[in-house]
Amino acid sequence: DSGVTQTPKHLITATGQRVTLRCSPRSGDLSVYWYQQSLDQGLQFLIQYYNGEERAKGNILERFSAQQFPDLHSELNLSSLELGDSALYFCASSLGTAPNSPLHFGNGTRLTVT
Amino acid sequence: AQTVTQSQPEMSVQEAETVTLSCTYDTSESDYYLFWYKQPPSRQMILVIRQEAYKQQNATENRFSVNFQKAAKSFSLKISDSQLGDAAMYFCAYRSAYAGGTSYGKLTFGQGTILTVHP
């Protein structure tokens, strides 16, 4: 158990809808990262937060947004969903932002858009 | 931008044998970290081993070891005495060590190698 909790585990929704994925980082970790894993794109970095502030942005679509709250949990909001958004969404956390600070991954949220 | 390439989509090994998974990467940076992650059917990403680019000595974690060739930008994973529990998707990943850069902090993953272990 990595200590990173993601909810829900599975989500099925229709095109055009909006969903929110939630992540609770490991106790003591201040950084949260979001990744998307799909068959055609592999594992893609979306966005990183550190202690409530956005630190790095990757291949995140404008339809997607995220935030980290004062209690350090994070939410990834996906709107105007398309079939191609179906993927496994991972959250990871680390103590800080240093590259030698290991990332601990949650079990992911499987999103299916129909 | 950095890229990570795993040229073996699938590999198989007999239980108790040794297998090597390949990984190459492209970067203009001299300071970085390399990782191997394992993703079993449970789909959780598990850190297997880590290598700092400034260290010449290859990292080792029990049955797992790496062959890090910095000049060749190669980072292979060797699994000795393979066990059934080693069956998983394995990802090679790169992480920049340059603070303030656009790549700082994020992990860049390869496409993954599916490892099958035969009893």
Side-chain angles (χ1 to χ4, degrees):
Chain A
D1 183 9
S2 68
V4 177
T5 304
Q6 288 188 248
T7 57
K9 290 184 180 179
H10 303 277
L11 200 50
I12 301 174
T13 189
T15 54
Q17 295 298 305
R18 171 190 169 94
V19 296
T20 297
L21 313 184
R22 182 187 170 99
C23 169
S24 294
R26 208 174 59 131
S27 178
D29 284 356
L30 299 178
S31 271
V32 169
Y33 309 77
W34 286 96
Y35 282 83
Q36 180 195 57
Q37 184 179 25
S38 61
L39 284 176
D40 54 345
Q41 296 290 327
L43 270 159
Q44 297 285 319
F45 169 71
L46 296 178
I47 198 163
Q48 176 199 2
Y49 281 84
Y50 175 75
N51 205 20
E53 292 187 3
E54 182 183 306
R55 276 301 179 96
K57 219 166 184 176
N59 301 321
I60 188 166
L61 300 171
E62 285 192 11
R63 300 184 286 108
F64 296 180
S65 65
Q67 55 184 326
Q68 186 180 27
F69 294 87
D71 67 351
L72 301 177
H73 91 271
S74 178
E75 293 181 356
L76 178 67
N77 300 296
L78 315 176
S79 61
S80 302
L81 285 167
E82 302 174 359
L83 295 177
D85 297 328
S86 295
L88 187 56
Y89 291 84
F90 279 107
C91 169
S93 72
S94 66
L95 181 61
T97 59
N100 61 349
S101 181
L103 266 64
H104 303 272
F105 283 81
N107 286 343
T109 293
R110 169 74 68 187
L111 174 66
T112 302
V113 183
T114 62
Chain B
Q2 294 80 24
T3 58
V4 178
T5 302
Q6 294 178 248
S7 59
Q8 306 155 318
E10 297 182 32
M11 290 286 284
S12 64
V13 64
Q14 290 293 131
E15 200 174 3
E17 297 295 308
T18 296
V19 65
T20 299
L21 308 184
S22 301
C23 172
T24 58
Y25 57 95
D26 187 26
T27 184
S28 58
E29 299 174 340
S30 60
D31 196 12
Y32 47 86
Y33 292 79
L34 296 167
F35 304 83
W36 279 97
Y37 277 86
K38 167 185 176 181
Q39 187 179 34
S42 67
R43 77 190 192 194
Q44 185 180 5
M45 297 289 286
I46 302 167
L47 177 62
V48 174
I49 199 165
R50 177 180 75 181
Q51 175 79 42
E52 292 88 346
Y54 63 85
K55 288 187 177 179
Q56 292 186 348
Q57 187 173 7
N58 289 323
T60 299
E61 288 286 344
N62 301 314
R63 299 182 296 106
F64 299 87
S65 62
V66 299
N67 183 3
F68 173 50
Q69 301 289 329
K70 191 172 184 179
K73 296 179 183 175
S74 170
F75 182 60
S76 61
L77 174 69
K78 185 171 84 170
I79 305 174
S80 304
D81 185 26
S82 296
Q83 300 175 0
L84 295 177
D86 295 332
M89 173 86 89
Y90 285 81
F91 291 94
C92 177
Y94 172 103
R95 200 174 188 192
S96 172
Y98 285 98
T102 57
S103 300
Y104 186 71
K106 76 170 190 179
L107 277 172
T108 299
F109 287 91
Q111 305 93 316
T113 297
I114 299 173
L115 177 66
T116 302
V117 182
H118 299 287

